[in-house]
């Protein structure tokens, strides 16, 4: 009929405008028939709309629930229209307007043959099992199982039990372990409030001072590892041999999880021994149990620098030769640090002088003797002094170390050359090294007459010569070799003849 209209409050077709007396002219139609025959200008839906799953940030359907081995939690929306949604949306935005379209409940379909009915207009459901209607005459209650894939759709129905269209399919795989167990298998969270437990130490002794740290305990961990990066602010790539660490990260120590009920953890670093030394301290939690060992991410680095000394350092002791005598023009010095106390501040560097000329500047941790290597010419004299300095001032110079760089010379001749174990085809040669050599002996040449029969690396002083024939005469001498060349041969030569066969 030209003026036929629809009425949401009856299941009959009308022969007049709504609100006027009417009479039934046909048997009631099904919901599917009414949807098919609905005129194009019909303004409201007679059945609820198609539910829509929320989308994750990649645009993929997502349950937005916490999945457990024996249940999963679903969220959807049944509002009219397809409003964009992602993980930042409210879970319950889909409830808006449900009463206006007559949503009385939902049906969750699982793996095509399973069914769970959810009364009311809520757009969420916790599914721990479903009625498997593969056999409609004998539906079976089927619990949700771990490590199992389920295909899920949801449809809304109105007060008359008429269903709207199913949602798109959503695939869910249940985990092997539950949320509580996941806390024992997934990495722990990092300590997020690492701070100083005491003021930074001012260094007043050669032993230096440690930095005291404190943070809140992290649940379900075994211990904590503390690291420092002594060069913060520099480009520092990942260490491929130590996953999770940078190449300059230095482990300072670790501390066990305190007893239950202790709210905070404290740790004192090993002693820092250089004033104004920069640091970048960070902590990570470690859990070891039957599932293995898991590491948290690191806490935010705690950056800073040790306080400067408040007084200038004392006078160092006179430097000494690290290697004596001086060899090959390399003068190696060992610096004697000054005493550190309330009157003498900690050095930050040492300046080395030859007379009035500064020849080196070196820094070193307290309690250690710094070393300096200088290159001097042969026969060059020196008079070394050392001064210690920090941000407050510089000490008086130390007493002087004076001397002259010796002139390199070829080594002397080896002594006590002897021939033993003579056979028809060979013999053994032994000798004693020269008393001294500057530079040191690096090798020996063993001669038979004018022929070099063997070259032996120092410090060995023996060798076996082969390749002789019976009744062959020999005349053995040995010469030492160093950086300047070959020294003289031993004299006299050791002579003899190999025996007959």
């Amino acid at each position: 009929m030209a003026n036929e209209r629809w009425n949401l409050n009856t299941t009959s077709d009308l022969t007049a405008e709504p609100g006027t007396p009417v009479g039934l002219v046909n048997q009631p139609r099904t919901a599917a028939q009414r949807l098919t025959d609905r005129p194009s200008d019909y303004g409201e839906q007679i059945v609820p709309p198609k539910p829509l799953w929320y989308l994750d940030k990649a645009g993929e359907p997502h349950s937005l629930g916490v999945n457990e081995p024996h249940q999963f939690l679903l969220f959807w929306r049944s509002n009219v229209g397809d409003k964009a949604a992602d993980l930042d949306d409210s879970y319950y935005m889909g409830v808006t307007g449900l009463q206006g379209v007559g949503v009385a409940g939902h049906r969750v379909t699982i793996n095509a043959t399973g069914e769970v009915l959810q009364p009311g207009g809520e757009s969420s459901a916790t599914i721990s099992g479903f009625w498997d209607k593969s056999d409609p005459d004998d539906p079976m209650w089927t619990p949700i199982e771990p490590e199992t894939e389920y295909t899920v759709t949801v449809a809304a129905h109105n007060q008359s039990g008429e269903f709207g269209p199913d949602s798109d399919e959503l695939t869910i795989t249940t985990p092997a372990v539950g949320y509580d167990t996941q806390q024992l298998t997934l990495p722990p969270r990092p300590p997020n409030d690492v701070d100083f437990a005491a003021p930074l130490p001012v260094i007043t002794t050669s032993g230096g001072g440690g930095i005291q740290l404190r943070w809140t305990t992290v649940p379900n961990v075994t211990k904590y590892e503390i690291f420092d990066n002594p060069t913060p602010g520099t480009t520092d790539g990942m260490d491929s041999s130590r996953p999770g660490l940078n190449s300059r990260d230095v482990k300072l120590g670790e501390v066990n999880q305190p007893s239950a009920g202790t709210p905070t953890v404290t740790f004192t670093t090993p002693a820092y021994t250089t004033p104004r030394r920069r640091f970048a301290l960070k902590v990570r939690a470690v859990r070891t149990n039957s599932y293995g060992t898991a590491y948290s991410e690191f806490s935010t680095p705690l950056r800073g620098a040790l306080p400067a000394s408040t007084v200038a350092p004392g006078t160092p002791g006179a430097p000494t030769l690290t290697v004596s005598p001086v060899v090959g023009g390399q003068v190696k010095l060992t610096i004697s640090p000054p005493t550190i106390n309330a009157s003498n501040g900690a050095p930050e560097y040492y300046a080395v002088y030859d007379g009035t000329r500064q020849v080196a500047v070196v820094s070193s941790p307290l309690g250690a003797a710094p070393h300096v290597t200088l290159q001097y010419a042969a026969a060059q004299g020196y008079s070394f002094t050392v001064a210690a300095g920090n941000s407050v001032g510089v000490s008086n110079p130390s007493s002087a170390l004076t001397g002259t760089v010796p002139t390199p010379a070829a080594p002397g001749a080896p002594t006590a050359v002897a021939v033993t174990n003579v056979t028809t085809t060979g013999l053994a040669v032994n000798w004693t090294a020269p008393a001294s050599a500057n530079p040191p002996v690096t090798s020996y040449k063993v001669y038979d007459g004018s022929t070099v029969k063997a070259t032996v690396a120092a410090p060995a002083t023996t060798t076996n010569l082969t390749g002789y024939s019976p009744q062959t005469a020999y005349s053995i001498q040995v010469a030492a070799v160093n950086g300047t060349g070959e020294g003289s041969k031993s004299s006299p030569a050791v002579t003899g003849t190999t025996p007959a066969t």
Side-chain angles (χ1 to χ4, degrees):
M1 301 179 185
N3 62 349
E4 182 182 88
R5 290 294 182 268
W6 291 68
N7 188 328
L8 292 178
N9 297 318
T10 73
T11 58
S12 302
D13 293 334
L14 304 181
T15 57
E17 295 291 338
T20 62
V22 297
L24 292 176
V25 295
N26 293 309
Q27 291 296 319
R29 301 183 186 182
T30 65
Q33 289 173 325
R34 290 199 296 276
L35 286 172
T36 300
D37 297 341
R38 186 173 62 188
S40 60
D41 62 348
Y42 179 66
E44 296 183 67
Q45 300 184 49
I46 194 169
V47 294
K50 173 182 177 178
L52 302 172
W53 298 113
Y54 283 88
L55 304 179
D56 61 20
K57 293 187 181 300
E60 299 296 328
H62 197 284
S63 71
L64 281 173
V66 177
N67 296 335
E68 294 277 350
H70 296 284
Q71 69 177 26
F72 46 81
L73 181 57
L74 304 175
F75 287 92
W76 63 86
R77 45 197 180 91
S78 294
N79 51 304
V80 178
D82 186 8
K83 182 178 180 181
D86 61 27
L87 290 172
D88 295 328
D89 288 328
S90 165
Y91 287 163
Y92 294 100
M93 66 175 288
V95 176
T96 305
L98 292 185
Q99 292 180 348
V101 294
V103 173
H106 294 84
R107 176 188 63 206
V108 179
T109 302
I110 302 171
N111 293 347
T113 60
E115 184 178 283
V116 179
L117 295 177
Q118 296 290 118
E122 295 295 329
S123 55
S124 66
T126 299
I127 307 299
S128 58
F130 54 90
W131 289 103
D132 188 341
K133 296 187 175 181
S134 299
D135 182 356
D137 297 327
D138 186 20
M140 300 283 294
W141 177 254
T142 305
I144 298 297
E145 297 293 337
E147 294 187 284
T148 304
E149 183 177 282
Y150 294 94
T151 301
V152 184
T153 60
V154 62
H157 65 83
N158 60 19
Q159 294 290 349
S160 301
E162 299 161 327
F163 283 90
D166 284 328
S167 68
D168 294 336
E169 289 185 344
L170 174 70
T171 300
I172 295 174
T173 300
T174 52
V177 295
Y179 180 78
D180 292 337
T181 305
Q182 289 174 27
Q183 303 315 297
L184 303 178
T185 58
L186 299 176
R189 66 171 177 80
N192 55 16
D193 57 352
V194 178
D195 204 351
F196 300 113
L200 292 174
V202 177
I203 299 172
T204 58
T205 69
S206 59
I211 300 174
Q212 297 182 45
L213 302 177
R214 176 177 55 217
W215 60 88
T216 303
T217 55
V218 177
N220 300 318
V221 303
T222 307
K223 63 181 180 180
Y224 304 88
E225 294 181 338
I226 301 88
F227 286 79
D228 185 16
N229 190 317
T231 54
T234 62
T235 301
D236 189 11
M238 297 300 293
D239 188 339
S240 59
S241 65
R242 302 185 301 168
L245 298 176
N246 293 329
S247 59
R248 293 184 176 89
D249 285 344
V250 177
K251 185 176 180 179
L252 302 182
E254 56 187 45
V255 57
N256 290 332
Q257 177 82 314
S259 57
T262 304
T264 58
V265 186
T266 57
F267 175 81
T268 300
T269 69
Y272 284 80
T273 55
T274 305
R276 298 198 298 170
R277 193 265 206 197
R278 299 175 66 192
F279 58 80
L281 301 170
K282 55 186 180 181
V283 182
R284 67 180 178 183
V286 184
R287 182 182 60 246
T288 301
N289 55 21
S290 60
Y291 298 100
T293 297
Y295 297 89
S296 77
E297 295 181 352
F298 277 107
S299 64
T300 301
L302 191 62
R303 302 181 185 274
L306 272 293
S309 296
T310 57
V311 291
T315 302
T320 59
L321 288 176
T322 309
V323 178
S324 181
V326 175
V327 175
Q330 281 196 340
V331 182
K332 297 183 178 182
L333 300 178
T334 298
I335 295 174
S336 301
T339 301
I340 312 299
N341 52 37
S343 301
N344 298 302
E348 297 179 22
Y349 65 91
Y350 298 95
V352 181
Y353 294 85
D354 183 356
T356 60
R357 180 171 61 96
Q358 187 181 95
V359 292
V361 176
V362 61
S363 61
S364 179
L366 302 180
H371 297 282
V372 178
T373 298
L374 303 169
Q375 189 68 42
Y376 272 57
Q380 183 177 356
Y382 54 79
S383 179
F384 295 120
T385 59
V386 179
N390 62 19
S391 60
V392 178
V394 180
S395 74
N396 293 322
S398 69
S399 300
L401 169 68
T402 59
T404 300
V405 177
T407 300
T415 60
V417 177
V419 174
T420 61
N421 299 329
V422 180
T423 68
T424 56
T425 59
L427 50 90
V429 181
N430 303 283
W431 62 92
T432 299
S436 62
N438 187 10
V441 173
T442 56
S443 63
Y444 298 92
K445 291 184 178 179
V446 181
Y447 287 85
D448 184 352
S450 61
T451 302
V452 177
K453 294 289 289 184
T455 299
V456 181
T461 57
T462 183
T463 189
N464 293 311
L465 304 183
T466 59
Y468 286 86
S469 300
Q471 294 184 313
T472 300
Y474 56 82
S475 179
I476 304 300
Q477 290 178 293
V478 181
V481 180
N482 67 6
T484 65
E486 182 178 335
S488 63
K489 301 174 185 177
S490 64
S491 182
V494 179
T495 61
T497 303
T498 59
T501 55

